[in-house]
Amino acid sequence: MSIGDTELNGLRATVLESVVDSVETLLPIGCVPGVLGDADYDLSSPDYYFNSYAHFGIHEEMLKDEVRTTAYMRAIVDNAHLFRGKVVLDVGCGTGILSMFAARAGARKVFAVDFAKIVDQAKEIVRDNRLDHIVEVLEGKVEDIVLPGFDKVDIIVSEWMGYFLFYESMLGSVIVARDRFLKPGGIMFPDVARLYICGIEDAQYKSQKIDFWENVYGFDMSCIKSIAMTEPLVDVVDAAQIVTDIVEVLTIDMNIIRTEELTFSVPFRLRAEKSDFCHAVVAFFDVDFARCHRKVTISTSPLSRATHWKQTVFYLDEAVPIDVGDLVTGSLAVRPSTKNHRDLDIAIRYMYHMDDRSGGTTLRYRLR
C-alpha cells in the first residue's frame, strides 16, 4: 500500500490508497456521541472557557510545566536576533510570561491580549517587572481589538494548543490574529504542529474507569458507562502500553492554515508491533518553532517527558486482538461541536481484517 502526501493549504494529511471517509459521513451535523450506543448530554457553556482562564490554578499548572515553558523561553530568548527591535503580538497572554520573554529578547513593542480577567494580574505583573514601557496588556478578543499605534506586527506568539491539539478552539483566534495583524513574511511562534496516533493495551485502567459503573457498591450504574465511553480520557500513557507503530496523521502549517480546515477527516493505518489486545487509540502532538536558529520542539508523546497536555485516550467498543504485523485502518474526523464551539466532536472509524477475525465500526466522542 503506497503512502503519499497531499497539500490541503495549511493542513497536510497522510493519504492512503483507500478513500478517506468524509467528515459528513463520520460526524453528520447534529450527531450525538456514541461508543456503546448514543450518549448525548451537555454540561458546558460557551462562557466557561474564558471564565476558567480567570482562575489561577490553570496558569500555575501551565507555568510549572517545564517542558512547555522552557521551550517557549528557549525559542524566544535564545533567538533574540528574530525579536530585536520587532513588534510582537501575544494571543491569549494569560499571566504575560511569553510577552515578557519577548521583551527580554529585545522586542521594541509587545501587545499582550487576553479576554479572560487574568489580564488584570498580567498588567500588574508587567509593571512589577518594569516592562510596562514595552509590554502593553489589552483586554479583549483578537477578533475585535485595535493595536494602539500599530496596524501590523512582525511576530505572533501564542500558546494555543489544547488537549488533542485542537480542544478549546483557540487556534481559530490565532488564525484571525495572523490574518488581521501579521506583516507579509512575519513569523508565527510556533509555526508547525503535527498530530499523531497509536494503539495501546489498557485493560486494567479501562476496567477501573469504565467497567467500574457496572457495580458501584452493589448498585448497577451502567447507564453512566455509555456516557463515560464517549468522553476521551486525558491522562499520561505509559510507553510500555503502546502496541502499534506511531503514525503522523496531520501536519499544520501555521502560516497558511485556514479556519475552515479545522473541520477535517484523515485516514490512518496502524501496524501491530506486539501480539496483544488494542483497547484504545491514543492521540498526541508536537509543535515546532522552525524559524529558530536551532529548531525547538515541544513533544507530548508518551515517549517524551510528560506535559500538562498529557495524551488523549479514545477507548474502543471492543478489545481488538492483534498479532505482530496486523493492520488496523480507518479514519479520524474532527469538528467543533455545534452545541459549544469550544468542545470537539471526534469520530473514529476503524476496521481490522485478520486471517481468522475481522471487525470495526464508527465511534463518536465529545471532548469537553
Side-chain angles (χ1 to χ4, degrees):
M1 182 175 289
S2 63
I3 299 178
D5 287 336
T6 260
E7 290 293 341
L8 299 174
N9 298 308
L11 178 153
R12 192 183 73 217
T14 302
V15 179
L16 308 180
E17 280 183 352
S18 56
V19 176
V20 62
D21 298 289
S22 69
V23 174
E24 290 71 22
T25 299
L26 297 179
L27 289 171
I29 296 294
C31 71
V32 298
V35 174
L36 301 177
D38 291 346
D40 190 30
Y41 79 113
D42 188 15
L43 296 177
S44 58
S45 75
D47 294 331
Y48 174 77
Y49 172 72
F50 289 115
N51 291 341
S52 69
Y53 279 87
H55 300 288
F56 304 115
I58 194 167
H59 295 284
E60 178 183 359
E61 180 184 33
M62 291 188 292
L63 290 169
K64 286 183 175 178
D65 183 341
E66 292 186 8
V67 173
R68 163 201 180 265
T69 308
T70 301
Y72 272 92
M73 181 176 67
R74 288 173 49 218
I76 296 171
V77 177
D78 290 355
N79 290 275
H81 62 285
L82 298 176
F83 286 82
R84 194 171 296 114
K86 302 298 185 181
V87 180
V88 178
L89 172 61
D90 178 0
V91 180
C93 67
T95 58
I97 185 70
L98 304 187
S99 295
M100 293 188 291
F101 285 156
R104 183 185 292 175
R108 68 184 175 100
K109 183 68 177 181
V110 182
F111 292 104
V113 179
D114 209 310
F115 191 56
K117 292 304 293 182
I118 191 68
V119 293
D120 294 336
Q121 284 69 46
K123 292 175 182 177
E124 186 172 352
I125 291 168
V126 168
R127 278 197 308 271
D128 289 347
N129 286 275
R130 300 178 181 178
L131 292 172
D132 50 319
H133 62 295
I134 298 173
V135 179
E136 183 172 350
V137 181
L138 303 175
E139 181 177 359
K141 298 181 179 180
V142 293
E143 292 84 351
D144 304 323
I145 62 164
V146 174
L147 305 181
F150 293 86
D151 294 323
K152 298 292 181 180
V153 302
D154 301 291
I155 302 172
I156 292 177
V157 299
S158 182
E159 197 271 75
W160 55 266
M161 302 81 72
Y163 302 133
F164 185 67
L165 186 61
F166 297 101
Y167 179 58
E168 295 177 338
S169 299
M170 186 177 164
L171 177 53
S173 295
V174 176
I175 294 171
V176 170
R178 179 200 69 197
D179 293 345
R180 289 191 66 198
F181 299 115
L182 190 64
K183 291 179 179 178
I187 299 174
M188 300 291 292
F189 256 55
D191 50 356
V192 178
R194 292 176 299 271
L195 183 68
Y196 302 85
I197 65 169
C198 64
I200 64 166
E201 183 282 325
D202 201 23
Q204 182 176 356
Y205 199 56
K206 181 181 179 182
S207 178
Q208 294 172 357
K209 295 292 291 185
I210 305 298
D211 297 338
F212 159 80
W213 296 106
E214 294 177 358
N215 186 339
V216 183
Y217 296 96
F219 296 102
D220 182 358
M221 297 188 182
S222 55
C223 61
I224 295 178
K225 181 176 178 178
S226 61
I227 297 173
M229 286 286 286
T230 68
E231 293 190 339
L233 176 69
V234 176
D235 207 344
V236 175
V237 172
D238 187 336
Q241 295 176 260
I242 299 174
V243 294
T244 72
D245 55 352
I246 293 173
V247 297
E248 179 184 331
V249 293
L250 193 70
T251 301
I252 292 175
D253 183 342
M254 288 296 296
N255 296 290
I256 55 177
I257 180 73
R258 300 177 304 176
T259 303
E260 54 266 33
E261 293 179 283
L262 302 184
T263 295
F264 61 86
S265 180
V266 293
F268 64 83
R269 184 182 65 177
L270 297 173
R271 184 180 298 274
E273 295 188 339
K274 297 179 181 179
S275 294
D276 210 320
F277 289 90
C278 181
H279 295 94
V281 171
V282 172
F284 55 93
F285 64 88
D286 293 347
V287 295
D288 288 343
F289 301 83
R291 293 288 294 271
C292 296
H293 183 61
R294 286 186 293 186
K295 184 177 72 173
V296 175
T297 298
I298 298 175
S299 173
T300 66
S301 167
L303 303 177
S304 301
R305 183 179 173 186
T307 71
H308 79 282
W309 289 289
K310 305 175 184 177
Q311 291 85 40
T312 306
V313 181
F314 300 87
Y315 284 119
L316 304 177
D317 60 322
E318 64 171 313
V320 177
I322 53 174
D323 291 316
V324 175
D326 287 345
L327 294 178
V328 178
T329 62
S331 300
L332 170 72
V334 178
R335 77 156 83 239
S337 172
T338 55
K339 288 194 171 184
N340 181 350
H341 77 282
R342 296 289 175 188
D343 296 343
L344 284 180
D345 286 338
I346 302 164
I348 295 176
R349 176 176 172 80
Y350 75 93
M351 295 158 285
Y352 61 92
H353 302 280
M354 289 70 170
D355 291 339
D356 58 344
R357 59 198 181 276
S358 64
T361 189
T362 300
L363 309 175
R364 297 188 177 100
Y365 309 83
R366 182 162 293 159
L367 186 56
R368 49 191 151 195

